[in-house]
Amino acid sequence: MLHQRTKLLSQRWALCLVQWLLALAVLAPRTATCIAQQPPANFQDVAAVLKKYCSGCHGEQDAEAGFSVSSYEALYKPLEEDRGPAIVAGKPDESVLYQLLSGADRPRMPPQDQPQPTSDDVALIARWIAQGAQPPAGDASSLSSMPSQAKAATMLVSPAERSNQHVTAVAAIGSRQLALGRWGRIEFVQVDSGEITTVIDQLPGKITSLRLSPDGQRLVVGAGQVGASGTVTLVGLSERKVLKTFADHADAVYCAALSPDGRWLASGSYDRTVVVRDMQSEQIVARLTGHNGAIYDLDFHPSSQHLATASADQTVKLWSIPSGQRLDTLGQPEGEMRCVRFAPNGQTLFAGGGDRQVRRWRIQSTTQPTINPLLDARFAHEKDVVAVQFIGSDLLVSASNDRTIKLWTADSLMPLGELARTLQVPIGLCSSGDGALQAVDLKGGVIEIARATLDQMLAEHARQMSHSRMPSASADMSSESAARTLPSVSAHVAQASQLTELTEVEPNDHVSSATDVSIPVKVLGVIDSPQADNQSADVDLFRFTAQRGQSWLIEVRAARDQSPLDSLIEVTDVHGQPVLNTRLQATRATYFTFRGKDSSTVDDFRLHKWEDMELDEYLYSEGETTRLWLYPRGPDSGFKVYPGSGSRHTFFGTTAVAHALGAPAYIVSPLAADDVPLPNGLPVFPVYFENDDDSQRELGADSRLMFTAPADGQYLLRVRDARGFGGPQYRYQVSILRPQPDFRLSFSQLKIKTPRGSGREWSASVKRIDGLNDAIAIWLHDLPEGVLATNPLIIEAGQQLALGTIFVQPDAILSEATLEIPLTARTISATELNTASITDDRGLPLPEKLELAIQDAQEVRISVLSNSPESVQRPVQEVDRLIIRPGQTISARVRIDRQGFAGPVSFGREDSGRNLPHGAFVDNIGLNGLLIPEEQIERELFITAAPKVKPGLRQFHFRTETSGNPTSRPIWLEVVQ
């Protein structure tokens, strides 16, 4: 009986479905007919809709899925995907364009995070197609050439009418008002109340740039439609209305500004061009086309005669205005350059971008093309630097996608500290008339920092710098006093200041005429131009005496003082023959695959038969020796070489050079003086005491060489230009000093907020001075009960970075809301966690304490569970120690308490095991890294220790990429024989 009823219901449902489909088939033609009988749709109106909502992804240059809305003809080109034609004239329901815009097909377009067409816009497209998709009248078939029907209008709105679209640009108007750019509109907002006082509406496209004119009377607005057009609009601030609009670009304008004297208007675009317009005649005077990527930012020199541009092609360029002559290309960055600003005095230039660094160049010449030297490069943030802004003439502020705002001294790029964190990604920084600073984020959140706060940080920096002039850290200092002072300057700097200073006297370019010097010494010299009767380049020779086994640091200072000299130094015997530093025995032959390498990159060294190579082995190619730092982590990766980040280091005094695809390379081992080379059929490479560019990549084109005398006797130091150039301006200073090993530490995240049951990561990095290679331990003192930490945090011998965590247990009871935890640092002879292993009792002082505060937050919590019977386990199987042997792989499990978080939880890729010993890593991570998918709470993981990992103990942790970046508690990894 039940079966019969079910069968009857199914028949009835089937009949209803057939009737509904028949009715739809009858009504559909009638609906299309009704649409076709409505008033004719104008293609200009259709073009305006397509231009506004579609050209960003389907423009002439970037036509996703092969579909472009750049012209009428392009709308009829076949799609790459087999989805049917974009337009079927007379049939909207069979046209993919209408199906996607209306949501009848998926995915709905535009994407949800983009501005959405109105129902009237979609109805217009349907009507135009139903009426036969008529072409435009005349020749106006290009969407980019379609005149806009909308005109800029000014109107007052209330806060309730505020747009929900993201803020895309910001500028300060006076001291208490901001201009916020959004899609097609500018809102003028009172900082104190948040009230929107005025809106400039119906501007063309996304507002990407807002800059106040130097006289404060006009707002320069950059905007446009990606892939279609770019405009610059001048808005009068007294009357709050559009004064002029210039449409000079074929793509969106990302930056625009007026020169300080108001004469020139410059705009940069995604179309890779910069347009300079004379505001007196309103004529274009120059189109600058030297960049190979989008122009993200620009800035005028205070003289108004020069322009700096920052581009996606990883360069900053300097131009003469109005001639458009390119004066220099500053190409040292390693990522897209996002922001650029001249110092108020015009003597230096600052820029930041995708390589997370802020750079400072000296402006050497503003009258002719020249090399403008790089003065400083600071790793400033954990993600892209998106804005830099001057506060007065002495302070620089940077903002980053890591949501931090940081303060720097403008004269030396010394960090003064973190000013604030934005809730969302920051869009821009602006300085108001009273010296305050505002940072605005994507959602329009405003963080305001008073000038008094900036002055206080500057005063604290001055106080700390005065402490840095206290006695050297090599003196006997207690850990209590060590926690309050900064490291002293390097001892060899102090040594250099006390040296006898000599001036080179020509002739000294031959062994017989070498200048005798007594070391230590500092010599001032010039590499002269070749004489008319002697076409060979000038060299300077200095004779000195050294004892066997003594080490001397030889350093040239030229490029850092803006000398054009590219120095090359060599140590020879008294007959002018090179002195052998070492011999490198090749043990394996290989070559570069996939792509070549420039002279700076540390990553993706793809080598033939890399599986036969081990970490810390030396790699020799074309005179350069580097060292393998990290294995390839998958089929589409290569080795990292030392130091693992930044510019690569070289060894044995060799100089970094570029390597072509297929260039031969060798794994090599240094031979002792009395070692006999192996008869393995591979070459032995002699390496002499010579250097072109500093092996640590700190001195630019200047040379640095550590010379150890192989025997008692006299030696010659030869100084010359690596290119054979010379002249009266090729000045240099060369010093021969005893090395004074030392180190400098820098930190991140010393002000930590974490909820109970979670942890936060902090890091320490070291600058090693004069060959210091020892491990360095940073101790946290007086940790309160219930707080676990990586302690000591150890930077391993030869490494530059260590990552720690501080973890607050769920039941921790803290006496104060914020705790100050003193830090001290010492060099140690081994990585054993035993104070008896400390051999250098200098107690090197640190600049700050670690501040710990408890915050209220609900976030993912992490536990690590054991898979190994050798592990020491807690009662609930939570691990606080894992045991591994060199060359072994062990397994464990990572588990999360989602705390309401529903998405996938990532722990990173090659860096997913934080602070593991060098050579140990989380293995088998695949393309997605260490990831727990949605709706899961646990995953197995594998840790591998390379054969080179030495026995010992080290703490590591895991960190998620979810909000707050919480960490696990620190876990001991014990490496045993």
Side-chain angles (χ1 to χ4, degrees):
M1 187 63 142
L2 180 61
H3 175 71
Q4 290 177 346
R5 288 182 179 179
T6 303
K7 183 177 180 180
L8 181 59
L9 287 173
S10 299
Q11 291 173 346
R12 290 178 178 176
W13 275 112
L15 179 60
C16 290
L17 179 60
V18 171
Q19 291 174 341
W20 181 82
L21 290 174
L22 289 173
L24 184 62
V26 172
L27 288 175
R30 293 181 181 177
T31 302
T33 301
C34 291
I35 293 176
Q37 292 174 351
Q38 293 179 10
N42 190 324
F43 180 74
Q44 289 187 345
D45 297 331
V46 172
V49 172
L50 297 179
K51 178 179 175 182
K52 182 175 182 179
Y53 298 107
C54 306
S55 61
C57 297
H58 301 282
E60 184 175 6
Q61 302 297 327
D62 302 307
E64 292 189 11
F67 178 57
S68 171
V69 298
S70 59
S71 67
Y72 176 81
E73 291 76 12
L75 297 175
Y76 280 90
K77 292 184 179 179
L79 299 178
E80 289 181 357
E81 301 177 8
D82 187 17
R83 303 190 63 174
I87 294 176
V88 179
K91 299 179 179 180
D93 292 335
E94 297 181 18
S95 302
V96 173
L97 176 63
Y98 171 72
Q99 292 173 0
L100 296 178
L101 287 173
S102 65
D105 197 0
R106 292 290 185 270
R108 183 166 186 161
M109 292 293 172
Q112 291 184 355
D113 60 348
Q114 299 295 318
Q116 298 295 308
T118 66
S119 58
D120 290 342
D121 292 332
V122 177
L124 173 66
I125 300 297
R127 180 154 51 97
W128 175 68
I129 296 174
Q131 293 172 350
Q134 296 299 315
D139 296 328
S141 62
S142 172
L143 270 63
S144 60
S145 66
M146 289 276 87
S148 176
Q149 301 301 311
K151 296 182 179 180
T154 304
M155 58 183 176
L156 296 177
V157 297
S158 67
E161 295 176 281
R162 181 190 295 264
S163 169
N164 291 323
Q165 296 170 350
H166 285 167
V167 172
T168 53
V170 60
I173 311 298
S175 60
R176 309 309 302 160
Q177 192 171 69
L178 295 176
L180 303 181
R182 299 181 188 267
W183 184 276
R185 61 193 270 141
I186 302 169
E187 299 172 353
F188 293 88
V189 181
Q190 291 297 122
V191 173
D192 297 327
S193 64
E195 179 186 1
I196 302 175
T197 60
T198 312
V199 170
I200 306 289
D201 205 358
Q202 297 183 348
L203 292 170
K206 178 182 178 182
I207 308 301
T208 56
S209 171
L210 294 174
R211 290 281 287 271
L212 196 66
S213 65
D215 60 9
Q217 301 302 307
R218 289 168 293 178
L219 188 64
V220 184
V221 182
Q225 295 275 1
V226 175
S229 64
T231 61
V232 179
T233 300
L234 299 181
V235 174
L237 294 178
S238 60
E239 58 271 50
R240 292 291 199 270
K241 71 177 183 180
V242 172
L243 302 177
K244 291 183 181 297
T245 297
F246 303 103
D248 298 330
H249 293 275
D251 213 319
V253 169
Y254 284 168
C255 50
L258 282 165
S259 61
D261 62 4
R263 176 70 183 276
W264 315 111
L265 173 65
S267 56
S269 166
Y270 191 81
D271 65 9
R272 306 180 182 182
T273 63
V274 178
V275 173
V276 181
R277 185 181 289 273
D278 186 340
M279 292 306 294
Q280 292 181 356
S281 64
E282 295 191 358
Q283 299 299 310
I284 294 176
V285 295
R287 285 188 181 271
L288 313 180
T289 58
H291 279 294
N292 294 319
I295 316 298
Y296 285 137
D297 198 15
L298 54 78
D299 197 43
F300 276 100
H301 189 270
S303 68
S304 299
Q305 301 304 305
H306 311 285
L307 184 72
T309 53
S311 171
D313 65 7
Q314 302 186 14
T315 68
V316 172
K317 293 183 186 292
L318 299 179
W319 312 84
S320 178
I321 303 299
S323 68
Q325 180 186 22
R326 186 168 61 197
L327 301 177
D328 194 12
T329 296
L330 308 175
Q332 293 92 340
E334 299 172 352
E336 294 185 343
M337 298 310 294
R338 305 296 300 274
C339 48
V340 63
R341 288 293 182 273
F342 281 103
N345 61 13
Q347 296 178 3
T348 50
L349 179 71
F350 297 77
D355 61 0
R356 300 168 293 155
Q357 299 184 60
V358 174
R359 286 176 164 78
R360 181 173 72 108
W361 292 272
R362 183 184 300 281
I363 303 304
Q364 190 77 6
S365 173
T366 56
T367 58
Q368 59 184 1
T370 188
I371 296 175
N372 298 276
L374 177 68
L375 299 178
D376 301 288
R378 299 278 189 264
F379 277 97
H381 294 271
E382 295 183 4
K383 293 183 179 179
D384 293 12
V385 180
V386 296
V388 290
Q389 175 70 42
F390 270 90
I391 305 295
S393 60
D394 53 358
L395 297 176
L396 183 79
V397 182
S398 62
S400 166
N401 283 341
D402 65 8
R403 298 182 290 111
T404 61
I405 313 297
K406 295 187 178 181
L407 186 65
W408 310 82
T409 60
D411 60 348
S412 59
L413 265 186
M414 291 295 293
L416 299 181
E418 183 178 302
L419 285 171
R421 285 179 174 264
T422 56
L423 293 177
Q424 303 289 331
V425 172
I427 290 303
L429 302 167
C430 44
S431 178
S432 57
D434 59 1
L437 173 78
Q438 287 100 19
V440 179
D441 67 20
L442 269 175
K443 294 294 183 66
V446 180
I447 291 178
E448 188 170 40
I449 299 134
R451 176 71 206 202
T453 302
L454 306 177
D455 290 339
Q456 182 180 359
M457 295 185 72
L458 189 60
E460 176 63 17
H461 172 70
R463 185 189 69 79
Q464 291 180 349
M465 290 303 293
S466 68
H467 287 175
S468 73
R469 292 187 283 272
M470 296 179 68
S472 169
S474 60
D476 185 15
M477 301 177 65
S478 69
S479 61
E480 289 77 10
S481 64
R484 296 300 305 165
T485 58
L486 285 166
S488 68
V489 297
S490 297
H492 81 270
V493 174
Q495 181 188 172
S497 66
Q498 302 171 4
L499 292 179
T500 301
E501 186 175 286
L502 303 177
T503 300
E504 170 226 5
V505 178
E506 293 283 355
N508 63 347
D509 54 355
H510 191 269
V511 170
S512 60
S513 59
T515 301
D516 289 305
V517 297
S518 178
I519 55 176
V521 69
K522 178 168 63 177
V523 183
L524 305 180
V526 178
I527 299 299
D528 290 326
S529 303
Q531 300 298 316
D533 58 347
N534 182 8
Q535 295 302 314
S536 62
D538 183 32
V539 298
D540 292 340
L541 290 171
F542 305 95
R543 186 183 294 109
F544 64 94
T545 300
Q547 282 71 51
R548 179 181 180 181
Q550 278 189 342
S551 293
W552 296 91
L553 181 68
I554 305 171
E555 183 173 310
V556 173
R557 187 177 184 93
R560 285 171 288 169
D561 292 333
Q562 291 75 58
S563 169
L565 177 70
D566 182 1
S567 60
L568 175 62
I569 55 177
E570 303 161 272
V571 176
T572 73
D573 62 19
V574 292
H575 305 293
Q577 299 301 310
V579 176
L580 187 68
N581 183 351
T582 189
R583 296 171 298 160
L584 300 176
Q585 166 75 69
T587 57
R588 284 186 295 281
T590 182
Y591 56 86
F592 288 88
T593 64
F594 186 64
R595 62 163 68 96
K597 284 290 148 203
D598 62 22
S599 61
S600 297
T601 305
V602 300
D603 201 5
D604 204 19
F605 271 60
R606 304 201 191 186
L607 301 168
H608 178 60
K609 292 188 177 179
W610 67 266
E611 298 87 349
D612 298 334
M613 304 171 192
E614 286 296 340
L615 300 185
D616 284 339
E617 290 187 321
Y618 294 106
L619 178 72
Y620 178 94
S621 180
E622 299 173 292
E624 175 192 355
T625 306
T626 186
R627 202 173 187 183
L628 304 179
W629 188 79
L630 180 68
Y631 295 115
R633 301 309 313 279
D636 192 29
S637 66
F639 275 105
K640 282 189 176 182
V641 298
Y642 270 79
S645 62
S647 295
R648 74 172 176 268
H649 290 181
T650 58
F651 296 83
F652 309 112
T654 59
T655 298
V657 296
H659 305 289
L661 175 64
Y666 302 86
I667 296 298
V668 296
S669 298
L671 296 174
D674 55 352
D675 282 350
V676 177
L678 296 173
N680 59 3
L682 296 176
V684 175
F685 302 100
V687 178
Y688 301 102
F689 283 110
E690 60 182 19
N691 180 256
D692 181 356
D693 298 333
D694 164 39
S695 298
Q696 302 300 301
R697 318 306 295 278
E698 298 173 341
L699 308 184
D702 288 341
S703 307
R704 178 192 282 161
L705 178 66
M706 190 73 73
F707 169 66
T708 302
D712 294 348
Q714 290 186 328
Y715 298 90
L716 297 176
L717 170 63
R718 178 187 286 128
V719 182
R720 60 186 177 92
D721 186 272
R723 305 154 299 180
F725 296 163
Q729 71 274 31
Y730 282 65
R731 298 183 177 275
Y732 66 87
Q733 168 189 300
V734 62
S735 56
I736 308 177
L737 307 171
R738 291 301 300 271
Q740 302 289 337
D742 205 346
F743 66 93
R744 290 285 190 86
L745 291 173
S746 59
F747 300 91
S748 71
Q749 294 297 95
L750 287 185
K751 295 183 178 180
I752 293 176
K753 294 182 179 179
T754 183
R756 286 180 172 82
S758 191
R760 290 293 185 271
E761 186 176 90
W762 64 292
S763 68
S765 58
V766 63
K767 176 182 178 182
R768 298 181 178 274
I769 300 171
D770 290 4
L772 179 80
N773 200 47
D774 290 339
I776 299 167
I778 299 97
W779 297 85
L780 286 74
H781 301 279
D782 304 323
L783 279 172
E785 186 175 354
V787 176
L788 307 176
T790 308
N791 194 25
L793 179 64
I794 296 177
I795 304 175
E796 295 177 276
Q799 304 300 314
Q800 292 188 317
L801 178 71
L803 304 170
T805 184
I806 188 161
F807 184 93
V808 179
Q809 293 182 318
D811 55 353
I813 300 176
L814 302 181
S815 59
E816 299 177 9
T818 301
L819 301 172
E820 291 189 344
I821 303 172
L823 302 174
T824 57
R826 303 172 188 269
T827 57
I828 59 177
S829 61
T831 55
E832 298 173 4
L833 301 182
N834 184 344
T835 56
S837 68
I838 298 175
T839 58
D840 186 342
D841 197 35
R842 298 178 302 166
L844 188 69
L846 301 179
E848 296 188 57
K849 294 182 178 181
L850 187 149
E851 294 184 7
L852 174 64
I854 302 299
Q855 68 175 4
D856 294 324
Q858 184 176 2
E859 59 183 23
V860 174
R861 295 183 178 181
I862 313 163
S863 302
V864 179
L865 311 179
S866 173
N867 268 354
S868 169
E870 295 179 298
S871 300
V872 179
Q873 302 175 6
R874 293 179 178 273
V876 294
Q877 291 188 314
E878 189 172 358
V879 168
D880 65 7
R881 179 176 299 194
L882 295 170
I883 299 173
I884 196 171
R885 290 180 171 82
Q888 184 186 20
T889 297
I890 62 172
S891 65
R893 288 175 291 151
V894 60
R895 177 180 293 174
I896 57 173
D897 180 354
R898 288 187 169 272
Q899 295 282 305
F901 181 79
V905 176
S906 173
F907 296 86
R909 290 177 171 78
E910 64 186 38
D911 60 346
S912 52
R914 314 289 286 180
N915 206 52
L916 285 164
H918 178 59
F921 50 90
V922 175
D923 212 345
N924 300 322
I925 57 175
L927 294 177
N928 294 322
L930 185 60
L931 179 75
I932 296 180
E934 296 176 272
E935 302 180 357
Q936 296 184 24
I937 63 170
E938 188 174 307
R939 169 172 174 171
E940 186 178 30
L941 62 91
F942 301 88
I943 297 176
T944 295
K948 57 93 46 188
V949 179
K950 296 179 180 179
L953 280 169
R954 186 173 178 85
Q955 288 174 293
F956 75 101
H957 59 276
F958 292 98
R959 184 190 72 170
T960 78
E961 295 179 353
T962 58
S963 176
N965 299 122
T967 73
S968 69
R969 68 177 71 215
I971 304 158
W972 291 103
L973 183 69
E974 182 178 2
V975 182
V976 299
Q977 289 286 13

